[in-house]
């Protein structure tokens, strides 16, 4: 096909070549009918395929476990299965390219997209990324590995400069991208919003050309994150092939003019257009003349895979023997996450699931409602819950709500994310206003809190009385990808069963970086001590108390970082009160990362369930009752307190950043390497996770060879039921002329064993496993001498140790 593509690109006029280098709309490139070139379409990932709809609503899709849950499986083969299944989802949405996977490193415990990433460790992240990409691309769907590079925080993410030395970049933050290119042959890469060492990544020639193409041999497409391209000649000359989304802001006529002015060569444009055609050819988009259509393809095999993968990623942090449950007669089901399906994080990764099941519904299906007693206890919402009533929305083609509406529609729920086709296509997406009207009927007497936040300007009334103002008083905050204000709230006394009319008026405002508008308002009764007392009473009368706590996609979301890692609201107090009332208390956590656990020692068991996709309740019940093994092991270290994590005690310049710069002062000492260096005992180390059986490691042998070293370890299931475990192999270097971590993870294996089974597991440690990056030489260096090889089930307990002599050598980039 190379000759065909070369002929085709040369048949294009300059203007046609340029047209392929920016989107036609939010999700597609323009077709070129003259030469029968089809339309390339993309869709958001990575835990599904949302399609071309808004972030809210749209055609339903399968919701798979989030990245940190896949990371906790330590299973590249399972990641490949998931990638292949998501490729089928991408096709059901009429798309050719998935904007996935997310392979940024979990540098801190507060990153808003921590849930979307696999791990704190570059080698684990790399292996899972390769599996996921291979699965996607085996079905003819392009992966778009993201966000390249240095996007490890959501604070000022569209403008901040991540200042990282080259050694740290090569050894930690670029490592998964390198594997995606060299080992998986990814067909696309997405540049990040941020600057890297002062230069926006979308126009960073060192990153996009020197490293990605010259050093690694990448031959695919580099696209911008949405609205992440800010210039014409600098981006295309640096190596950015595709500006997204469309319609173009920086290319089109501006790029043609830049060519004519000599700022960009015609050959550069041809090279970029050829890359687009190559991607279209690889995905079948080049000859795809199928009319665009999206469908909800709810496959039983996808449901089964999601359920199995959800359990495979769950980590049993603590168990005094109470799990698996043996069908207790009375269960108290407590907590704000019990009757809500927490299936995914927030931001561009969210989608409209085919369906979802809550823990309560899964438990009720198994045991019957009569065996369960529910008490919420407290809430954990970041924003007031949506009013789930029909909302009439009148749109105006001006910013002053003047005249007759140009479009009226009825929507479900009190939120909207507006990007294109606003007001039925009758409004300019950047200049319009609207009035949203609904009725709200409280289900109990009391004080109710209303909340409102918008990417735009808005005000809200209840029964005609002004209540919330984000119009004259609007100030920027951390909602709607940092384009919105922080929620404004006000309290009002309401009477059960007595409806009130709620009206919100909205108008657009000039965006700061991303051209989006959105609004959200809701209401909730204030909970207090009486509600915790009800939970305590339920727990005291039960054989077992199941407490479902954690966060949600409101907290774990693109566009902001957490302020701390304590459970939101009164959840810590709820857990402490319930455990005091019933020592047989099992805590089920659903978060996108570590949390502090001041109540840990009082619990009978703790299960970290993450956001496991649409089968959340079923997968949790499977693990609680022993139908499935808690197959997960932590892919990120849990500190005892937030201050212990790699960025917790740093100078503000190192996190969250000062004056538009964030310095990665810890260098290569990320994750478990940081805790080793600091001598700090974490709450749970990397790799931690209990099973329903027990395992032992023995007989480690390390043999040097011309390609590094070979390691073999015997793994034995010493328990009475089948299960899985993950032996880890670490390498320590005391010879290098630079400071290196005490140990670095260099090998792991997911091992499934029957009761009593023994197996010898082999690990290959290539020369790179012993190397460090010498920025002065621009090469990987293995310092000759003795290396320590350690093995165990987690980074905090490594019972097997051996020494191996490795010869000095210099490796290519």
């Amino acid at each position: 096909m190379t000759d065909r593509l070369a002929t085709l690109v040369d048949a294009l006029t300059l203007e046609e070549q340029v047209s392929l280098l920016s989107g036609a709309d939010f999700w597609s490139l323009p077709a070129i009918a003259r030469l029968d070139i089809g339309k390339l379409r993309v869709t958001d990932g990575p835990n599904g395929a949302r399609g071309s709809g808004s972030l809210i609503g749209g055609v339903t899709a399968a919701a798979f476990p989030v990245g940190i849950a896949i990371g906790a499986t330590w299973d590249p083969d399972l990641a490949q299965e998931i990638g292949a299944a998501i490729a089928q989802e991408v096709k059901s949405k009429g798309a050719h390219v998935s904007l996935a996977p997310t392979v940024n490193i979990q540098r801190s415990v507060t990153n808003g997209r921590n849930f979307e990433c696999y791990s704190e460790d570059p080698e684990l992240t790399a292996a899972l990324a390769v599996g996921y990409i291979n699965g996607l691309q085996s079905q003819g769907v392009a992966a778009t590995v993201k966000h390249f590079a240095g996007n490890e925080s959501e604070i000022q993410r569209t403008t901040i400069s991540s200042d990282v030395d080259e050694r740290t970049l090569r050894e930690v933050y670029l490592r998964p991208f390198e594997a995606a290119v060299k080992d998986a042959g990814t067909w696309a890469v997405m540049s990040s919003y941020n600057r890297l060492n002062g230069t926006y990544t979308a126009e960073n020639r060192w990153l996009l050309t020197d490293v990605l193409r010259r050093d690694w041999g990448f031959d695919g497409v580099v696209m911008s994150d949405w609205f992440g391209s800010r210039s014409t000649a600098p981006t295309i000359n640096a190596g950015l092939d595709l500006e997204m989304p469309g319609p173009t802001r920086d290319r089109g006529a501006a790029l043609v003019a830049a060519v004519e002015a000599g700022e960009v060569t015609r050959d550069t444009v041809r090279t970029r257009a050829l890359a687009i055609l190559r991607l279209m050819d690889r995905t079948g988009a080049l000859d795809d003349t199928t009319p665009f259509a999206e469908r909800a393809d709810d496959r039983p095999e996808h449901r089964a895979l999601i359920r199995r993968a959800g359990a495979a990623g769950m980590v049993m942090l603590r168990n005094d023997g109470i799990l698996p449950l043996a069908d207790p007669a009375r269960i108290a089901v407590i907590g704000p996450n019990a009757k809500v399906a927490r299936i995914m994080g927030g931001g561009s990764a969210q989608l409209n699931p085919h369906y979802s099941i809550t823990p309560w519904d899964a438990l009720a299906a198994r045991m019957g409602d009569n065996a369960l007693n529910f008490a919420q206890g407290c809430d954990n919402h970041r924003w007031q819950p949506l009013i789930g009533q029909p909302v009439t929305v009148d749109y105006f083609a001006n910013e002053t709500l003047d005249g007759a509406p140009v479009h009226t529609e009825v929507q479900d729920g009190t939120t909207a994310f507006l990007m294109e086709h606003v007001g039925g296509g009758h409004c300019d997406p950047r200049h319009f206003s609207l009035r949203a009207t609904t009725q709200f009927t409280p289900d109990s007497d009391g004080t109710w809190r209303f909340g409102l936040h918008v990417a735009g300007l808005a005000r809200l009334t209840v029964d005609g009385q002004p209540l919330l103002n984000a119009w004259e008083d609007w100030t920027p905050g951390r909602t709607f990808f940092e384009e919105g204000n922080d929620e404004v709230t006000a309290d009002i006394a309401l009477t059960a069963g007595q409806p009130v009319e709620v009206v919100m008026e909205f108008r657009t405002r000039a965006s700061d970086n991303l051209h989006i508008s959105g609004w959200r308002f809701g209401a909730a009764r204030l909970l207090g001590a009486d509600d915790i007392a009800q939970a305590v009473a339920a727990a005291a009368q039960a054989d077992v108390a199941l407490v479902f706590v954690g966060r949600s996609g409101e907290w774990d979301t693109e566009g902001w970082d957490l302020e701390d890692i304590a459970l939101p609201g009164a959840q810590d107090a709820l857990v402490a009160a319930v455990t005091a009332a019933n020592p047989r208390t099992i805590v089920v956590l659903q978060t996108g990362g570590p949390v502090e656990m001041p109540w840990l020692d009082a619990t009978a068991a703790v299960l970290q369930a993450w956001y496991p996709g649409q089968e959340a309740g079923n997968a949790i019940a499977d693990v609680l009752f022993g139908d499935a093994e808690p197959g997960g092991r932590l892919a990120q270290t849990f500190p005892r307190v937030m201050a212990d994590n790699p960025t917790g005690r740093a100078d503000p310049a190192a996190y969250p950043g000062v004056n538009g710069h964030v310095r990665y002062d810890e260098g290569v000492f990320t994750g478990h390497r940081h805790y080793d260096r600091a001598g700090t005992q974490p709450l749970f180390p990397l790799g931690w996770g209990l099973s329903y059986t027990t395992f032992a490691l023995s007989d480690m042998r390390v043999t040097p060879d011309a390609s590094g070293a070979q390691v073999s370890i015997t793994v034995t299931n010493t328990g009475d039921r089948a299960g899985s475990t993950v032996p880890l192999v670490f390498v320590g270097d005391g010879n290098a002329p630079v400071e290196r971590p005490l140990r670095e993870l260099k090998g792991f294996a997911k091992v499934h064993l029957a009761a009593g089974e023994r197996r010898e597991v082999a690990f290959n440690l290539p020369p790179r496993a012993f190397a460090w990056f010498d920025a002065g030489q621009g090469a990987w260096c293995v310092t000759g001498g003795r290396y320590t090889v350690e093995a165990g089930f987690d980074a905090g307990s490594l019972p097997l140790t051996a020494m191996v002599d490795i010869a000095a050598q210099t490796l290519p980039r």
Side-chain angles (χ1 to χ4, degrees):
M1 299 301 291
T2 302
D3 291 342
R4 180 197 176 191
L5 297 180
T7 300
L8 194 57
V9 74
D10 290 333
L12 296 170
T13 65
L14 174 63
E15 288 75 13
E16 288 171 333
Q17 289 179 350
V18 166
S19 74
L20 292 175
L21 305 184
S22 57
D25 53 35
F26 233 77
W27 304 112
S28 71
L29 274 61
I32 300 178
R34 182 179 72 84
L35 294 173
D36 297 322
I37 295 175
K39 177 180 279 287
L40 182 78
R41 294 185 177 91
V42 307
T43 181
D44 259 330
N47 50 284
R50 186 177 63 250
S52 63
S54 170
L55 295 185
I56 300 164
V59 177
T60 62
F64 286 78
V66 300
I68 195 170
I70 296 174
T73 71
W74 291 72
D75 193 341
D77 291 338
L78 180 58
Q80 184 165 335
E81 267 193 271
I82 291 170
I86 289 178
Q88 295 171 333
E89 284 289 303
V90 171
K91 292 179 180 180
S92 77
K93 300 304 179 285
H96 310 93
V97 177
S98 173
L99 305 180
T102 304
V103 302
N104 297 100
I105 298 298
Q106 293 161 344
R107 178 184 180 231
S108 74
V109 293
T110 53
N111 180 16
R113 296 182 91 162
N114 196 85
F115 75 92
E116 203 173 317
C117 307
Y118 292 134
S119 176
E120 69 183 29
D121 188 84
E123 295 302 322
L124 174 56
T125 299
L128 292 167
V130 168
Y132 186 98
I133 294 166
N134 283 338
L136 270 175
Q137 296 188 168
S138 71
Q139 304 300 308
V141 170
T144 310
V145 63
K146 61 184 185 182
H147 305 85
F148 193 56
N151 180 194
E152 279 73 44
S153 168
E154 293 296 286
I155 297 175
Q156 300 178 17
R157 63 176 182 149
T158 56
T159 57
I160 202 160
S161 175
S162 297
D163 297 341
V164 197
D165 67 87
E166 186 176 0
R167 178 190 166 202
T168 298
L169 282 170
R170 297 276 191 169
E171 293 188 23
V172 180
Y173 297 100
L174 298 185
R175 173 68 186 120
F177 294 96
E178 180 187 17
V181 173
K182 290 183 175 180
D183 300 333
T186 186
W187 293 342
V189 170
M190 179 186 289
S191 64
S192 53
Y193 285 120
N194 54 279
R195 293 176 289 156
L196 182 66
N197 295 320
T199 303
Y200 282 107
T201 63
E203 51 194 56
N204 193 312
R205 182 177 179 84
W206 176 83
L207 186 67
L208 303 186
T209 295
D210 295 349
V211 174
L212 182 62
R213 290 189 170 91
R214 186 193 67 197
D215 292 352
W216 299 345
F218 178 67
D219 67 350
V221 164
V222 180
M223 69 180 73
S224 73
D225 205 337
W226 268 227
F227 304 107
S229 170
R230 296 168 176 265
S231 63
T232 302
T235 59
I236 196 165
N237 288 334
L240 187 78
D241 300 297
L242 177 60
E243 172 208 15
M244 288 298 287
T248 184
R249 299 163 307 285
D250 303 318
R251 296 192 172 182
L255 179 51
V256 172
V259 172
E260 292 172 346
E263 298 171 3
V264 178
T265 67
R266 286 179 178 263
D267 186 62
T268 296
V269 172
R270 180 188 183 277
T271 298
R272 304 281 172 258
L274 183 60
I276 300 293
L277 293 175
R278 187 181 300 117
L279 178 61
M280 296 178 75
D281 180 50
R282 285 169 164 169
T283 61
L286 194 61
D287 301 308
D288 187 355
T289 58
T290 306
F292 174 63
E294 294 182 295
R295 65 181 188 275
D297 196 359
D298 187 2
R299 299 185 179 205
E301 62 269 29
H302 287 178
R303 289 192 177 201
L305 174 58
I306 293 167
R307 186 168 179 168
R308 174 164 55 90
M314 291 185 190
V315 183
M316 191 160 65
L317 298 173
R318 175 180 170 86
N319 185 18
D320 69 358
I322 193 172
L323 293 177
L325 290 172
D327 290 328
R330 297 170 301 169
I331 298 180
V333 181
I334 295 167
N337 283 359
K339 285 193 172 183
V340 182
R342 302 297 191 195
I343 67 174
M344 58 192 170
S348 61
Q350 67 191 36
L351 49 78
N352 185 19
H354 293 314
Y355 93 115
S356 60
I357 183 166
T358 69
W360 170 270
D361 288 336
L363 292 167
R366 183 184 184 97
M367 303 197 60
D369 288 349
N370 292 336
L372 308 178
N373 185 16
F374 173 72
Q376 181 172 328
C378 66
D379 59 50
N380 65 355
H381 52 252
R382 177 183 172 199
W383 309 311
Q384 303 312 303
L386 297 173
I387 298 171
Q389 295 295 318
V391 183
T392 300
V393 185
D394 296 321
Y395 287 89
F396 301 85
N398 55 67
E399 295 185 323
T400 54
L401 298 115
D402 286 340
V406 295
H407 178 74
T408 297
E409 64 187 34
V410 177
Q411 68 176 54
D412 295 326
T414 51
T415 186
F417 191 93
L418 304 167
M419 300 181 291
E420 55 183 354
H421 307 302
V422 174
H426 300 289
C427 296
D428 180 344
R430 301 190 190 183
H431 302 284
F432 68 92
S433 57
L434 63 85
R435 181 178 292 112
T437 304
T438 190
Q439 277 202 333
F440 175 63
T441 303
D443 58 11
S444 60
D445 295 344
T447 300
W448 288 74
R449 177 163 293 169
F450 281 75
L452 167 70
H453 65 271
V454 290
L457 305 175
R459 54 199 171 207
L460 183 141
T461 63
V462 175
D463 274 349
Q465 298 302 309
L467 185 66
L468 298 173
N469 188 336
W471 191 292
E472 292 86 357
D473 298 336
W474 189 94
T475 55
R478 290 190 289 173
T479 63
F480 287 109
F481 309 116
E482 294 187 308
E483 293 291 338
N485 65 311
D486 290 330
E487 185 181 51
V488 293
T489 62
D491 298 344
I492 186 172
L494 297 177
T495 302
Q498 183 173 316
V500 293
E501 183 183 62
V502 182
V503 178
M504 183 206 67
E505 294 182 334
F506 171 96
R507 59 155 291 188
T508 51
R509 63 176 290 276
S511 62
D512 294 317
N513 287 288
L514 310 178
H515 303 291
I516 58 174
S517 295
W519 52 272
R520 188 189 196 281
F521 63 88
R525 181 179 68 85
L526 296 182
L527 303 184
D530 289 347
D531 298 279
I532 290 182
Q534 291 176 22
V536 168
Q541 297 167 12
D543 298 315
V544 170
L546 294 175
V547 185
F548 293 88
V549 291
R551 299 194 293 256
S552 68
E554 295 177 2
W555 297 98
D556 293 303
T557 183
E558 179 179 357
W560 93 309
D561 279 7
L562 295 163
E563 295 175 359
D564 57 52
I565 58 169
L567 288 175
Q571 292 182 101
D572 282 334
L574 174 65
V575 175
V578 171
T579 55
N582 189 335
R584 290 174 58 80
T585 293
I586 299 163
V587 175
V588 179
L589 281 169
Q590 286 196 264
T591 63
V595 291
E596 295 171 358
M597 303 182 202
W599 34 259
L600 177 65
D601 292 342
T603 63
V606 178
L607 179 68
Q608 173 56 264
W610 316 111
Y611 303 128
Q614 65 188 37
E615 298 286 339
N618 286 331
I620 290 170
D622 288 346
V623 172
L624 290 176
F625 286 92
D627 298 336
E629 182 83 0
R633 304 294 184 265
L634 290 182
Q636 183 175 20
T637 306
F638 276 38
R640 293 185 180 277
V641 294
M642 179 177 163
D644 289 346
N645 98 95
T647 60
R649 294 174 176 164
D651 184 306
Y655 181 84
V658 173
N659 297 326
H661 289 261
V662 56
R663 295 196 319 260
Y664 286 42
D665 281 351
E666 73 281 2
V668 299
F669 293 89
T670 56
H672 68 90
R673 307 165 176 195
H674 159 78
Y675 297 92
D676 285 341
R677 184 193 202 190
T680 302
Q681 185 73 23
L683 186 63
F684 296 109
L686 179 79
W688 177 266
L690 304 175
S691 175
Y692 288 149
T693 186
T694 53
F695 297 92
L697 295 179
S698 61
D699 305 322
M700 182 169 76
R701 297 191 305 276
V702 182
T703 307
D705 61 21
S707 61
Q710 303 299 316
V711 178
S712 66
I713 302 171
T714 298
V715 186
T716 305
N717 182 342
T718 57
D720 58 4
R721 64 176 278 171
S724 65
T725 190
V726 184
L728 311 179
V729 175
F730 293 82
V731 171
D733 175 14
N735 311 296
V738 295
E739 186 182 15
R740 297 192 67 180
L742 179 65
R743 57 181 64 91
E744 299 175 35
L745 179 69
K746 294 299 180 181
F748 65 90
K750 186 80 170 191
V751 182
H752 299 264
L753 297 174
E757 183 181 1
R758 294 166 57 89
R759 185 182 307 162
E760 186 176 282
V761 180
F763 303 85
N764 175 46
L765 299 182
R768 272 284 292 270
F770 302 92
W772 56 280
F773 190 82
D774 186 336
Q777 293 189 54
W780 292 91
C781 295
V782 178
T783 306
R786 306 208 83 190
Y787 288 77
T788 304
V789 179
E790 299 172 283
F793 292 122
D794 64 71
S797 178
L798 300 168
L800 303 183
T801 303
M803 305 299 293
V804 63
D805 292 315
I806 301 294
Q809 55 184 305
T810 300
L811 310 173
R813 287 177 293 187

